[in-house]
Amino acid sequence: MDLVIRDTCVIDGTGGPSYRADVGIRNGRIAAIRREGDPALSGTRTLDASGLALSPGFIDMHAHSDLALLRDPAHEAKAAQGVTLEVLGQDGLSYAPVDDRTLEGVRQAINGWNGGGPGDDSVAFDWRTVGEYLDRLDQGIAVNAAYLIPQGTVRMYAVGWDDRPATATELTRMKQLVAEGLEQGAVGMSSGLTYTPGMYAPDAELTELCRVLAPYDGYYCPHHRSYGAGALQAYEDMVQVTREAGCALHLAHATMNFGVNKGRAADLLALLDRAIDRGADISLDTYPYTPGSTTLVAVLPSWASEGGPEATLARLRDEAVAERIRHHLEVIGSDGCHGVPMEWETIEISGVVDPELDAHIGSTIEESARSRGESPWTTARRLLIEDRLGSTILQHVGHEENVRAIMRHRVHTGGSDGILQGSKPHPRAFGTFPHYLGRYARELGVLSLEETVAHLTSRPAARLRLPDRGLVREGYRADLVMFDPETVAAGSTFDAPRALPFGIPHVLIDGRWVIRDGVRTDVLAGRSVRRTLGRNQM
């Protein structure tokens, strides 16, 4: 063996009981597992893992590391958590497929998520297709990555920023782009149906795009049209879209937020159970926190963002139009804010692009406005204009009882939804996976440790159709994490969101040390994980 991990507590990802064993690794794969009493293994190197649990590497089903993986070789935010695979291209907006015009628009639109906006030359955008982007990842990244074709970017490419149904020619072009992305290795398609321009697509258009996924065994991953007022109908709509299209459904950050949904997780789970029992292929992901995180511009009504970022800024500068926007936000309930009238005390500024605006970070819009003697909308409008739509926010609208109920569900998986930009990002970016293990398994007992590991490993691997990941099993890839069940915990907090976790001393990808003795090595063992017709390859 290249490496023998001795006397470890194997939590194999199935959800079944743990057991003590030695695990042997050879050529990047698990070559042998010897339980107590079996013949001993010999190896070139050994690691005494007594007191540690060994599990498959964690799979982050909802990551916003599309540029971070290229910009930051260490990528400790995820590697230190034991994440060995991330799914990128989320919420319908990412960087492939694009042409030059589309790339310029998407860079500005999601600058708050990923950086990379106009003037940011930290990443060379030297790709245009999905395949070229995956080739770029294959030059060496910290952890493995799979990619979802972003429906909003595809619509931007074929239709533009107009709020209208696609023409027949435009729909044909979008379907071609989705098919090409799948042929080049994408695992499915995402949507951001409270983000422009993806939200302008009617359900019939989404259904036609989802029909392209089915022959490739790809899945549809929508951030659907509402997590607030009308949330249950929004979930039902996505179930119907995928039922008609004949493809699998994976619900992104599937929770029930805002006051109108307090205690209503059971309604969502009953809806999903009925669909699953009728044969629907459904899964979901969540993060183990109550606040959400997005960009400030995302809460605006959709009509205010038609035409793209520059058109949005022009509307914000126009006094009469800005007053209409305020009325939609504060009185009617913007579709960008899930149909719920704005509660400015729930909106905390987590990051800005312009350092001259740093004083806003860590304050709610209401607090910042009060300190300046102005209305919350005046403060928000100024931020949007001066930061050129780049400000990010935490939105404190979740409910703990909903979070716990949903994470217990049989099709639940873990996803950080981690935005790594900003001075004060959501701690989920650095803490989701140890928080599940430490807070929700060990401390609260919401799930057993074995069940929790299954939610974070084999279940997402099954959704991604990965034949050799997600379990500690002979022949599987040696993407492994070792943690101390007694001490594992998130180090990140809302006050210190970039702190690294505790109790995760070792992480291996393809049998190579990514974290060793709690220290990030210089190993870049990650590569793209690509789908081919009916199966995944690397």
Side-chain angles (χ1 to χ4, degrees), residues 17 34 127 225 239 260 358 404 421 468 477 511 513 534:
R34 296 290 185 266
W127 65 84
R225 298 192 192 277
V239 171
V260 294
D358 279 353
R404 296 189 193 188
Q421 291 294 111
D468 58 359
R477 292 183 180 271
W513 298 104

Side-chain angles (χ1 to χ4, degrees), residues 94-173:
S94 190
Y95 305 96
V98 293
D99 55 12
D100 292 348
R101 173 189 54 82
T102 306
L103 178 60
E104 180 182 1
V106 78
R107 285 181 65 179
Q108 184 168 353
I110 53 175
N111 187 23
W113 289 359
N114 298 313
D120 182 346
D121 59 359
S122 61
V123 173
F125 290 87
D126 52 2
W127 65 84
R128 293 298 180 268
T129 68
V130 169
E132 289 168 351
Y133 174 69
L134 297 178
D135 288 344
R136 179 67 184 280
L137 297 179
D138 283 339
Q139 294 177 19
I141 50 180
V143 304
N144 297 311
Y147 188 72
L148 294 166
I149 301 161
Q151 171 260 333
T153 301
V154 166
R155 198 172 209 274
M156 199 185 307
Y157 192 127
V159 180
W161 292 84
D162 297 342
D163 183 1
R164 62 172 175 80
T167 66
T169 300
E170 290 165 342
L171 181 57
T172 296
R173 181 60 178 137

Side-chain angles (χ1 to χ4, degrees), residues 22-261:
D22 295 348
V23 177
I25 296 168
R26 184 170 55 230
N27 296 330
R29 292 186 180 269
I30 300 168
I33 300 172
R34 296 290 185 266
R35 302 198 186 204
E36 291 178 298
D38 291 344
L41 295 171
S42 62
T44 304
R45 295 168 295 157
T46 62
L47 173 70
D48 180 0
S50 56
L52 297 178
L54 179 143
S55 82
F58 305 132
I59 298 176
D60 188 342
M61 286 297 286
H62 192 105
H64 289 283
S65 304
D66 306 50
L67 299 185
L69 276 168
L70 301 176
R71 183 191 299 117
D72 174 20
H75 200 46
E76 282 189 294
K78 295 301 177 64
Q81 294 184 61
V83 171
T84 58
L85 170 60
E86 298 183 281
V87 184
L88 313 177
Q90 301 288 348
D91 294 332
L93 290 166
S94 190
Y95 305 96
V98 293
D99 55 12
D100 292 348
R101 173 189 54 82
T102 306
L103 178 60
E104 180 182 1
V106 78
R107 285 181 65 179
Q108 184 168 353
I110 53 175
N111 187 23
W113 289 359
N114 298 313
D120 182 346
D121 59 359
S122 61
V123 173
F125 290 87
D126 52 2
W127 65 84
R128 293 298 180 268
T129 68
V130 169
E132 289 168 351
Y133 174 69
L134 297 178
D135 288 344
R136 179 67 184 280
L137 297 179
D138 283 339
Q139 294 177 19
I141 50 180
V143 304
N144 297 311
Y147 188 72
L148 294 166
I149 301 161
Q151 171 260 333
T153 301
V154 166
R155 198 172 209 274
M156 199 185 307
Y157 192 127
V159 180
W161 292 84
D162 297 342
D163 183 1
R164 62 172 175 80
T167 66
T169 300
E170 290 165 342
L171 181 57
T172 296
R173 181 60 178 137
M174 286 191 285
K175 292 169 71 173
Q176 290 172 341
L177 290 168
V178 172
E180 289 168 5
L182 292 164
E183 291 282 353
Q184 293 163 12
V187 297
M189 182 180 74
S190 74
S191 286
L193 300 180
T194 64
Y195 298 125
T196 54
M199 69 190 304
Y200 298 143
D203 285 358
E205 181 178 309
L206 298 174
T207 302
E208 288 304 303
L209 296 181
C210 284
R211 290 188 198 280
V212 181
L213 301 175
Y216 293 88
D217 207 13
Y219 69 91
Y220 180 42
C221 180
H223 164 127
H224 52 271
R225 298 192 192 277
S226 176
Y227 291 81
L232 283 177
Q233 184 60 54
Y235 281 110
E236 177 60 42
D237 290 345
M238 296 300 97
V239 171
Q240 181 62 27
V241 162
T242 51
R243 180 186 296 124
E244 291 183 15
C247 72
L249 172 64
H250 179 84
L251 296 164
H253 38 59
T255 190
M256 299 284 285
N257 288 335
F258 302 90
V260 294
N261 290 317

Side-chain angles (χ1 to χ4, degrees), residues 143 146 361 423 466:
V143 304
I361 295 172
S423 300
L466 300 174

Side-chain angles (χ1 to χ4, degrees), residues 109-113 195 293-299 389-393 419:
I110 53 175
N111 187 23
W113 289 359
Y195 298 125
S293 180
T294 187
T295 54
L296 182 57
V297 66
V299 306
L389 313 181
S391 304
T392 52
I393 62 173
I419 294 175

